[in-house]
Amino acid sequence: MGDQEEGFAFYCFLKILLLQWKKSTNRTGKDEKVMKLEQLEKLLQDMSLEEKVGQMVQIPANMLTEGGLLTGPTDTMEMSEETTRLVGSILGKTGAEELHNIQKEFVENHPHHIPLLLMYDVINGMETIFPIPLAQGCTFSPELVERAAHAAAKEATATGLHVTFSPMLDLVRDARWGRVMESTGEDPWLNAELGRAMVRGYQGSSKVQGELLDLAKEGNIAGCVKHFAGYGAPLGGREYENVELSERTFREDYLPAYQAAIEEGCVMVMTSFNTLNRIPSSGNQWLMRKVLREEMGFDGVLISDYSAVDEMIRHGIAEDSREAAKLAILAGVDMDMVSNAYVKYLAELVRDGEVEERLVDEAVWRILKLKNDLGLFENPYKDGAKEKEEILFLCPEHRGLAREMAAKSFVLLKNDEILPLEQENAGTIALIGPYADSTEMFGAWSFPKRPEQGVTIKQGMEVRYGSVKVCRGCFMQDEDKQTKFGVKEKYTTEELETLLAEAEKLAGKSETVVLCLGEHREYTGEGASRTEIGLPKHQLELLKRVQAVNKNVVTVVFSGRPLVLTEVVELSRAVLLVWMPGTEGGSAIADVLSGAVLPEGKLSMTLPRCVGQVPVFYNKFRTGRPNEEGTTVGYIHGYIDESIYPLYPFGYGLTYTTFGYSKVSVSQEIMKKTETIAAKATVTNTGTREAVETVQMYLTDVKGSVVRPVKMLRGFKKVALKPGESRKVTFTITEDMLKFYDSNMVYTSEPGEFEVYIGPDSDTKNKAVFRLV
Ligand code: BGC
């Protein structure tokens, strides 16, 4: 037996002893836990400094060979084979068999047989792809979001993963930023509710609900809140740009969603690339030690973003990798994702007395505890198994959920009495556009192994309507525009003209045209900020030419951000915004176009009229010269060349029926700080179809010691109503909902007048008034 085999055999022997001990005694779970922690402590004491530092290092999967086994030194991170064998985690590999081999190799060869943590970005699904998070935001449904996260977790753990880098809870307000697709939108309250739902879905438990963390249970995966903090506010929407936020705005608007996920029990947090008020997050002691750990109570593993530790050199706050490592450990970063800083310099910094070993021990302790919570010391492979992948990937249950969620995330922006398209009219519908028969619907963060399993609109429509006439109409990209990977579509003017002419011809002889347009999925996501956020110009040209010969145009828009759709809305009789809907996109679109399912999505981000309005969001602060008329003249808040109002406000979305709201009433006009009051309105389905309405409740603090937002979402409820049916919808208002950072930065509520609005979107004027005393 070689040394390594001997080591592994001894490790297994210990495991067996432990199992026998557990069986033979009648100990409670608590005793086992205590015993396990004692073993972990002992393990930590036994580890060399190099081993400890190793646990704090994550390497990328491209440092391994195709077969999944370790190759020795590679240039990605300038590491020797010896140091590579000590690492604590690998990022970016999937596949149960491959991950099994990698884990086995590492566990067997590690001096203490410590298993790896295997991490990946499972953002909106693993193999069954759900709508992108921005679209999930439009469902306003924590219940659906939780179910989708759990389905994703089951597929991810089946493929051998332990951690997903999700939820991304950055508040986003600038549609130019490519990563808005990864967020659930512009509202702190909605993001917090949906962030909680994702954590429950991934981790299978809720700390706030008093449930115990059981990450080891089959199907549960560890979540990682990112990107801490404020990454969603880069100046100009430019990727990796610096972030400058007042502490008040940061705390009131940006922190709540991260805080909610931590309260829910999320076990990991990731730092952000950006600087926050001039300090890069990965070296920001105030942010990580004071705000995150002390104030927000986070006690899990803090990982840096990809090479963010070393990037502090280019930020200009560290001279070299050594100093970057020091800044990061002092800030409390437990794991260095893919930079050379910790692996090369952390041990040296400890030996030179520049960093206390205690800080390293604290970090390693947290990492070991996470591994233990995941049950990896008992079973380093967790749920990973090829058979499970086969059962779970794209299983009917997950597909069904993806279809349901997609349909519920679509936002009907306009419907000039054309939708739904009844099935009797099947023969007369033309399906035109670059998205008509494309599977490019997964969004920028999804990498399914079998993308061909996605349902295109054509396929979905064929199921509903029998055969449909399809024509591409134009290319997805303009020839002078590239994706973030530099990919351009190459075509000649003649080729384009041929497609456009074909489309014109088909449109001319059809009753109705379903035009499937949108931005390329690689126009969004990381590294994909854009200054133009309209449809590609040839797609707009297609719309104009089709509309010139057929006025019955229903436009289906794909996008990963709020696009400028002003012209599209003008030229179409109906517009359905479907975002990036995922695997079942085509089926869900057919469900909604045909009226088999009614749309119910509400915008999770404001739609601008033009790019010059961006950033535009509903919960802005009041000004001294408000522009209630939307005028463009005089010394008034706004622009002289465009309305101050967006094209569609946050929370907006139609369906195939109409709803009426009664006037809001409050249970008491005076609210004491220790009490709650109720606000109510009756919602009536005033149309002819049964449908769901998302009733939204907003609050306005009429006067504060600092300027307060115009409106703040503080509740939402879904009601399903039959035609003619009414339901009273009640919201409870608590003092907590009224709190903010006052002029002395004290988090409190201030007595005075408040307005409570209940309506279909953030633009609602339906209100009642109460006073807080
Ligand atoms: C992104 C993170 C992601 C990480 C690992 C980074 O570039 O900013 O969101 O989790 O890569 O893939």
Side-chain angles (χ1 to χ4, degrees):
M1 234 192 225
D3 277 352
Q4 285 170 356
E5 277 164 324
E6 236 169 50
F8 188 60
F10 180 59
Y11 164 72
C12 295
F13 172 61
L14 279 182
K15 291 283 112 207
I16 292 162
L17 272 187
L18 180 66
L19 278 175
Q20 281 174 350
W21 179 85
K22 276 184 191 167
K23 271 194 199 142
S24 66
T25 55
N26 219 358
R27 290 179 185 254
T28 64
K30 192 161 170 259
D31 282 342
E32 271 181 30
K33 224 173 160 184
V34 170
M35 187 208 69
K36 212 54 219 291
L37 290 183
E38 281 165 5
Q39 282 183 336
L40 283 189
E41 259 171 32
K42 167 96 179 44
L43 173 62
L44 183 63
Q45 281 163 16
D46 279 357
M47 288 163 76
S48 68
L49 182 56
E50 276 66 26
E51 276 178 65
K52 287 192 268 193
V53 169
Q55 287 302 304
M56 298 168 70
V57 174
Q58 180 174 65
I59 60 169
N62 62 8
M63 287 184 66
L64 310 166
T65 63
E66 274 303 296
L69 300 178
L70 191 65
T71 53
T74 78
D75 48 21
T76 317
M77 282 177 64
E78 300 167 30
M79 285 164 68
S80 68
E81 178 167 348
E82 207 187 339
T83 43
T84 310
R85 289 206 179 280
L86 297 181
V87 300
S89 174
I90 291 179
L91 147 74
K93 190 97 159 173
T94 61
E97 277 183 345
E98 243 183 314
L99 287 178
H100 186 101
N101 291 344
I102 293 169
Q103 183 70 288
K104 185 162 185 286
E105 164 101 357
F106 270 84
V107 173
E108 285 178 3
N109 290 296
H110 189 279
H112 283 93
H113 310 292
I114 301 178
L116 292 164
L117 276 170
L118 301 167
M119 309 196 193
Y120 194 75
D121 292 272
V122 185
I123 306 298
N124 47 301
M126 185 75 229
E127 190 63 26
T128 310
I129 306 301
F130 296 94
I132 55 169
L134 193 61
Q136 296 196 17
C138 298
T139 67
F140 276 67
S141 173
E143 181 261 339
L144 253 187
V145 168
E146 179 176 338
R147 276 164 60 208
H150 195 59
K154 277 160 75 180
E155 292 190 16
T157 51
T159 205
L161 295 168
H162 309 139
V163 176
T164 173
F165 291 131
S166 175
M168 186 272 215
L169 292 175
D170 301 322
L171 185 78
V172 293
R173 291 175 161 175
D174 193 324
R176 292 168 296 183
W177 192 47
R179 299 196 81 166
V180 300
M181 57 131 317
E182 285 174 64
S183 161
T184 48
E186 72 183 36
D187 184 71
W189 183 274
L190 180 64
N191 289 354
E193 292 299 304
L194 300 184
R196 286 181 190 283
M198 286 188 200
V199 173
R200 288 195 298 270
Y202 292 141
Q203 300 194 163
S205 63
S206 160
K207 198 161 148 188
V208 249
Q209 287 166 19
E211 291 161 4
L212 288 181
L213 186 68
D214 190 2
L215 291 178
K217 186 167 166 218
E218 183 163 348
N220 290 348
I221 195 166
C224 177
V225 176
K226 66 189 190 185
H227 306 84
F228 200 75
Y231 183 35
L235 204 66
R238 284 183 294 273
E239 185 61 297
Y240 313 128
E241 182 58 277
N242 300 322
V243 171
E244 294 269 325
L245 289 171
S246 76
E247 190 174 340
R248 187 172 277 113
T249 301
F250 177 64
R251 285 182 180 277
E252 260 175 45
D253 296 342
Y254 286 79
L255 285 188
Y258 306 121
Q259 172 79 68
I262 290 165
E263 280 170 14
E264 205 64 38
C266 195
V267 289
M268 281 188 68
V269 169
M270 186 189 292
T271 72
S272 58
F273 287 129
N274 58 282
T275 62
L276 177 66
N277 300 332
R278 322 280 173 90
I279 305 179
S281 301
S282 305
N284 191 334
Q285 287 188 42
W286 170 79
L287 183 63
M288 300 305 172
R289 293 216 180 256
K290 175 138 197 318
V291 178
L292 179 68
R293 297 265 186 219
E294 219 178 287
E295 295 178 18
M296 296 171 74
F298 176 66
D299 61 1
V301 173
L302 177 63
I303 187 169
S304 78
D305 201 347
Y306 204 108
S307 75
V309 176
D310 262 349
E311 284 173 24
M312 287 193 281
I313 305 169
R314 272 171 282 156
H315 273 298
I317 71 153
E319 199 180 336
D320 49 26
S321 250
R322 191 177 191 277
E323 194 178 358
K326 183 169 171 183
L327 289 174
I329 184 78
L330 292 180
V333 174
D334 299 321
M335 193 176 277
D336 178 356
M337 188 196 292
V338 178
S339 99
N340 278 310
Y342 279 9
V343 72
K344 283 179 94 172
Y345 298 107
L346 194 50
E348 182 183 306
L349 283 162
V350 171
R351 290 213 174 87
D352 291 352
E354 287 182 53
V355 166
E356 287 175 73
E357 189 159 358
R358 176 182 63 84
L359 297 184
V360 170
D361 287 348
E362 272 172 19
V364 178
W365 175 247
R366 287 192 278 259
I367 293 165
L368 293 178
K369 246 175 84 220
L370 177 56
K371 291 184 175 184
N372 183 47
D373 285 341
L374 281 156
L376 301 184
F377 287 102
E378 285 77 20
N379 173 12
Y381 313 107
K382 196 167 185 304
D383 312 337
K386 200 162 172 23
E387 312 79 69
K388 288 185 193 162
E389 287 180 327
E390 275 158 16
I391 293 169
L392 289 167
F393 282 7
L394 295 163
C395 65
E397 188 195 333
H398 293 179
R399 274 188 177 271
L401 182 57
R403 182 169 178 169
E404 179 187 351
M405 183 183 238
K408 289 186 174 167
S409 72
F410 300 162
V411 185
L412 181 63
L413 297 175
K414 175 181 177 180
N415 187 17
D416 184 5
E417 294 180 4
I418 185 167
L419 288 178
L421 301 173
E422 305 296 344
Q423 261 147 324
E424 301 85 74
N425 303 335
T428 61
I429 301 171
L431 206 57
I432 300 177
Y435 269 103
D437 194 19
S438 162
T439 52
E440 288 284 319
M441 321 182 173
F442 303 115
W445 268 110
S446 303
F447 317 98
K449 293 205 160 99
R450 295 162 66 201
E452 75 289 351
Q453 287 293 311
V455 182
T456 71
I457 304 188
K458 175 175 179 275
Q459 292 163 345
M461 293 291 273
E462 276 168 357
V463 173
R464 286 260 165 227
Y465 295 91
S467 77
V468 280
K469 295 192 202 74
V470 183
C471 147
R472 191 170 174 194
C474 70
F475 297 90
M476 197 170 288
Q477 288 171 261
D478 290 332
E479 74 281 20
D480 56 345
K481 292 286 179 303
Q482 61 173 33
T483 70
K484 64 183 172 194
F485 300 117
V487 176
K488 284 188 180 180
E489 263 180 307
K490 291 202 181 70
Y491 51 88
T492 62
T493 319
E494 292 73 42
E495 283 167 329
L496 175 65
E497 184 47 40
T498 309
L499 290 182
L500 288 165
E502 255 172 46
E504 238 171 347
K505 206 166 141 204
L506 178 60
K509 55 183 189 200
S510 305
E511 185 69 30
T512 312
V513 178
V514 174
L515 204 54
C516 312
L517 308 177
E519 60 177 352
H520 191 287
R521 73 172 179 144
E522 294 300 351
Y523 281 6
T524 54
E526 187 177 353
S529 293
R530 302 193 84 214
T531 59
E532 287 175 22
I533 55 169
L535 283 180
K537 65 176 185 290
H538 296 324
Q539 293 196 23
L540 216 47
E541 191 186 343
L542 172 68
L543 168 60
K544 286 178 187 162
R545 283 175 62 167
V546 162
Q547 200 263 355
V549 297
N550 189 332
K551 301 286 174 244
N552 296 330
V553 178
V554 173
T555 307
V556 176
V557 179
F558 289 78
S559 79
R561 59 157 61 81
L563 292 173
V564 171
L565 296 175
T566 315
E567 260 191 297
V568 177
V569 169
E570 269 165 29
L571 294 172
S572 314
R573 273 188 65 185
V575 179
L576 184 69
L577 180 54
V578 299
W579 307 106
M580 289 289 160
T583 306
E584 287 288 335
S587 329
I589 291 167
D591 290 344
V592 170
L593 292 181
S594 66
V597 175
L598 269 66
E600 59 176 86
K602 298 278 193 170
L603 288 176
S604 57
M605 233 183 139
T606 304
L607 287 200
R609 266 173 209 282
C610 63
V611 70
Q613 283 187 327
V614 172
V616 55
F617 47 94
Y618 86 95
N619 46 0
K620 62 192 281 307
F621 298 111
R622 302 226 289 263
T623 69
R625 295 184 177 191
N627 183 345
E628 267 136 32
E629 310 302 320
T631 175
T632 58
V633 290
Y635 293 95
I636 196 138
H637 175 53
Y639 305 100
I640 57 168
D641 62 346
E642 185 53 276
S643 156
I644 185 75
Y645 295 122
L647 189 60
Y648 293 110
F650 172 84
Y652 174 87
L654 305 171
T655 186
Y656 302 151
T657 190
T658 45
F659 295 104
Y661 282 73
S662 73
K663 200 175 162 347
V664 184
S665 65
V666 283
S667 56
Q668 284 159 239
E669 277 165 19
I670 302 291
M671 172 176 165
K672 290 192 188 132
K673 285 203 177 191
T674 49
E675 291 172 357
T676 61
I677 63 164
K680 297 176 202 151
T682 300
V683 186
T684 305
N685 183 340
T686 50
T688 53
R689 286 171 187 259
E690 180 173 358
V692 173
E693 167 73 328
T694 301
V695 183
Q696 299 157 46
M697 191 268 280
Y698 295 87
L699 292 173
T700 300
D701 188 346
V702 177
K703 188 190 91 69
S705 61
V706 297
V707 173
R708 307 287 291 119
V710 176
K711 265 186 198 138
M712 314 170 282
L713 180 75
R714 285 295 179 269
F716 52 85
K717 279 187 183 163
K718 292 201 159 233
V719 283
L721 295 173
K722 296 199 173 68
E725 197 186 354
S726 293
R727 180 105 27 94
K728 194 185 277 172
V729 181
T730 307
F731 293 94
T732 305
I733 301 172
T734 64
E735 195 219 338
D736 261 358
M737 294 180 177
L738 312 177
K739 286 185 175 168
F740 63 102
Y741 286 89
D742 72 3
S743 51
N744 297 315
M745 280 305 282
V746 176
Y747 192 64
T748 183
S749 62
E750 288 178 354
E753 191 174 313
F754 287 83
E755 292 166 348
V756 48
Y757 294 80
I758 298 181
D761 57 52
S762 63
D763 209 22
T764 176
K765 310 281 183 287
N766 186 24
K767 68 172 183 197
V769 175
F770 65 93
R771 287 191 80 79
L772 181 73
V773 293

